[in-house]
Amino acid sequence: MKTFSVLILLVTLSAAYGLTCYNCVTNDPKSCTKTVRCVAPLDRCSSLEYNGLVTKTCLPSAACVGPVSCCTSDLCNSAVSTGSSVLFLLVSAAITSIFL
C-alpha cells in the first residue's frame, strides 16, 4: 500500500510541475521545435509576436497580460493547431457506427 501511495504522489507532482513549452525566439513560428520544462513559479506557456519576431517560453501567470498569449497545457504555445480536425471526428464517428 505504501508503494501505491508513493506512486500516486509522484504522478501528482509530475502533473503539477511538469508543464512543457516551446522555447525560442524566431521569425518563423513553425520552426520553433526546442522545448523546455517549466519550473515553479513558471506555470504558463507563452507566445508573443512583436515586429515579426515571435518569442515562446514559460512565464508566471501574472505576466500573461497585454499582447502576451498564455496557455496551460503541454506544448500549447505552438504555431500548429493541436486540436482535432472535423474530418477526423467525422471519419471516427462513421467507423464507429459501421462496426457497432
Side-chain angles (χ1 to χ4, degrees):
M1 187 66 173
K2 288 182 182 180
T3 305
F4 184 69
S5 299
V6 170
L7 180 65
I8 295 295
L9 177 65
L10 291 175
V11 168
T12 305
L13 287 176
S14 69
Y17 295 107
L19 183 64
T20 303
C21 300
Y22 286 104
N23 186 32
C24 65
V25 177
T26 182
N27 291 329
D28 180 18
K30 293 183 180 182
S31 69
C32 187
T33 57
K34 182 180 174 190
T35 61
V36 65
R37 182 151 320 250
C38 302
V39 294
L42 307 177
D43 59 351
R44 302 281 192 268
C45 294
S46 69
S47 184
L48 171 66
E49 184 174 350
Y50 184 74
N51 287 338
L53 193 64
V54 177
T55 304
K56 297 177 181 289
T57 192
C58 300
L59 282 180
S61 59
C64 296
V65 294
V68 179
S69 83
C70 294
C71 52
T72 59
S73 60
D74 283 340
L75 303 176
C76 60
N77 61 340
S78 70
V80 179
S81 173
T82 58
S84 300
S85 70
V86 173
L87 180 62
F88 178 72
L89 292 173
L90 290 174
V91 170
S92 303
I95 290 172
T96 303
S97 64
I98 289 171
F99 292 108
L100 288 180

